[in-house]
Amino acid sequence: MEKPKSVTSMQLIMSIGTSIIGVGILSFPRITVEYVKTGAPFSAAAAVLLMMGGGFIVSYLGIQYRNKTIFEYADGLIGKWMSSLFLLLIGAYFLELTALASREFGEVVVTAVLQRTPITVTVFIMILLATISSRVDVAVFTRILTFYMPFVYFPAMVIVLLSLKSAKVSNLMPLVSLFHGQSFNSIYLSIMVVAALYTNFMIVGLIVPFMYRPHTAIRSTLVGIGIAGTLYIILMYATLSVFGVEEMRNLLWPTLELAKTAAVTTFFIERLDPVFIAVWVTAVFSAIFAAYYLSIQAFSHLFRLKTHRGLSILALPVIMALAIQPVNIVHLYRVVKQVGIIGVYLTLGYSLLLFVVHLIKAARGRRRHEHKKMAGPWSFCLCFSATDRLLGSVGD
């Protein structure tokens, strides 16, 4: 069935860029530095390239199946049974991702701003906002993400630039530490941890069928992931140059501490960390909203529901139960790393499987078409020969 065309290429770029920047923006510099020290920016860049590959695959498949979402054309590519299995896994992953991001949001807010507020209250409010917002269709979903992008990127870049007055180039040395003195396992884990921040790129598979010009999806996807990746790399360089490796290991949220070093003494705002918290809350909502939407879209297709609105309400208590499972923040970040790495394997593996099956079926279709073209002249000759023999026998 033809889907209404209501999404532009720029909206796709902005939607991807907004959905990728989320709660992990505060802690990822510390986690990456723990693995590869001053090689952390290179790991962040490698993660961008890796997830660009996944974005390319999903957008390419979206162009080939222009009137179907990724969950719809997967049924025809890998069969309904295997497709249902992957839908269950993907839906469960993004459900857990929503819960963990909401819990991390609650931990930060309770620690930095609302010390006397129960963490369950802040977590519930964020999940409730995402639940209400996720009842919309894909066109409105895209417009919401597009609307929030300027409120995330512009203030974040300003705060980062203002904090660079405290930067020291010596803190970035040695630049080649990623390739010297680091084990392969450390490099691998550092890349995977950063790549886990990009798994929301799967929204491309939902948006492409609604685009005015779906043939631009590949370029828009790569630009969107590249913009988000650029911000992550800049934040990595900024935090590392300001604090250094040893100090960053002792900071739970280095990016938040970076915002505290930024100041505008000529204006009435001297401290910018409250502004950064406001920007971060917007980014967290966008990422949670995107993950929530992906999850309920996967489950609604799994159960063959006509609409996902009712399912979004039913998912709320499940997400809330998952969010309160980690006993403390140490346990929370341990689970976040494990689930994040699984998510990278799942999203990239699912996309790659669909891509390979599509190529195999396309190659078979081309060979079948070539055989038909070759058989055409021979069929005509055989038919002509049979007709000639028939006329000759009648004449005799």
Side-chain angles (χ1 to χ4, degrees):
M1 190 175 73
E2 186 76 18
K3 289 181 169 57
K5 307 302 179 183
S6 56
V7 179
T8 65
S9 301
M10 183 57 66
Q11 284 179 320
L12 178 59
I13 292 173
M14 298 176 75
S15 297
I16 297 170
T18 309
S19 64
I20 290 176
I21 301 298
V23 65
I25 198 172
L26 294 187
S27 59
F28 90 97
R30 171 184 56 82
I31 298 173
T32 313
V33 164
E34 287 176 354
Y35 286 118
V36 290
K37 299 179 181 178
T38 55
F42 295 97
S43 294
V48 177
L49 297 176
L50 177 64
M51 301 313 283
M52 275 186 172
F56 170 83
I57 291 173
V58 174
S59 55
Y60 171 81
L61 291 174
I63 295 173
Q64 305 307 309
Y65 305 94
R66 299 191 177 195
N67 290 316
K68 295 181 179 180
T69 66
I70 187 171
F71 303 136
E72 291 171 346
Y73 62 71
D75 291 342
L77 285 176
I78 59 177
K80 289 189 176 182
W81 184 86
M82 186 174 288
S83 176
S84 298
L85 176 61
F86 274 104
L87 283 172
L88 180 63
L89 294 174
I90 289 173
Y93 164 69
F94 282 107
L95 208 66
E96 177 68 12
L97 184 64
T98 303
L100 293 175
S102 301
R103 173 62 184 272
E104 190 173 355
F105 165 78
E107 293 284 356
V108 175
V109 170
V110 169
T111 302
V113 183
L114 306 174
Q115 288 87 354
R116 297 184 180 181
T117 303
I119 191 171
T120 52
V121 174
T122 56
V123 171
F124 177 76
I125 290 174
M126 179 56 73
I127 296 174
L128 181 62
L129 287 174
T131 300
I132 296 171
S133 303
S134 64
R135 292 168 57 83
V136 300
D137 57 21
V138 173
V140 179
F141 164 75
T142 307
R143 286 198 290 269
I144 291 173
L145 293 177
T146 302
F147 174 78
Y148 282 118
M149 184 177 182
F151 298 101
V152 173
Y153 278 79
F154 181 72
M157 290 301 300
V158 170
I159 291 172
V160 168
L161 292 175
L162 291 174
S163 66
L164 290 179
K165 67 180 186 300
S166 305
K168 296 179 180 178
V169 178
S170 59
N171 287 334
L172 299 174
M173 301 299 174
L175 290 174
V176 294
S177 66
L178 183 65
F179 311 103
H180 177 72
Q182 303 296 333
S183 66
F184 174 80
N185 188 55
S186 297
I187 297 173
Y188 159 77
L189 289 174
S190 67
I191 294 173
M192 295 297 285
V193 165
V194 181
L197 302 172
Y198 295 79
T199 53
N200 277 348
F201 79 90
M202 291 287 289
I203 65 170
V204 176
L206 300 178
I207 296 176
V208 172
F210 297 86
M211 293 182 66
Y212 289 112
R213 297 187 298 165
H215 61 275
T216 64
I218 294 178
R219 181 182 60 193
S220 300
T221 301
L222 296 181
V223 171
I225 296 175
I227 291 172
T230 300
L231 180 58
Y232 275 125
I233 294 171
I234 290 173
L235 283 172
M236 181 68 76
Y237 269 115
T239 52
L240 189 60
S241 62
V242 171
F243 300 115
V245 172
E246 297 304 324
E247 188 172 353
M248 281 184 66
R249 288 174 172 174
N250 299 320
L251 299 175
L252 186 58
W253 299 306
T255 310
L256 180 59
E257 299 300 325
L258 181 72
K260 292 180 180 179
T261 64
V264 185
T265 56
T266 56
F267 294 95
F268 65 93
I269 300 177
E270 292 189 3
R271 291 185 57 185
L272 292 179
D273 50 306
V275 178
F276 181 79
I277 288 290
V279 172
W280 175 77
V281 169
T282 305
V284 170
F285 167 75
S286 301
I288 290 176
F289 173 47
Y292 201 130
Y293 199 80
L294 274 165
S295 175
I296 61 175
Q297 285 287 349
F299 280 124
S300 63
H301 187 74
L302 174 64
F303 299 125
R304 301 299 188 262
L305 302 177
K306 292 183 179 180
T307 177
H308 64 277
R309 293 186 176 183
L311 190 61
S312 64
I313 300 296
L314 294 176
L316 190 152
V318 177
I319 295 176
M320 190 66 194
L322 292 172
I324 62 176
Q325 286 301 309
V327 294
N328 52 44
I329 196 166
V330 177
H331 184 213
L332 171 65
Y333 279 116
R334 189 181 303 123
V335 175
V336 165
K337 283 192 282 188
Q338 294 171 350
V339 172
I341 293 175
I342 292 172
V344 175
Y345 279 122
L346 181 60
T347 54
L348 289 181
Y350 179 62
S351 305
L352 187 59
L353 174 63
L354 296 180
F355 182 65
V356 171
V357 174
H358 165 76
L359 292 180
I360 293 173
K361 289 192 173 184
R364 288 178 179 175
R366 285 194 299 269
R367 285 199 298 267
R368 196 176 296 116
H369 181 68
E370 289 172 0
H371 288 324
K372 287 181 179 180
K373 289 176 65 177
M374 291 294 293
W378 288 106
S379 300
F380 176 77
C381 291
L382 290 173
C383 181
F384 180 79
S385 177
T387 304
D388 185 60
R389 286 197 301 270
L390 178 61
L391 292 175
S393 63
V394 172
D396 294 337

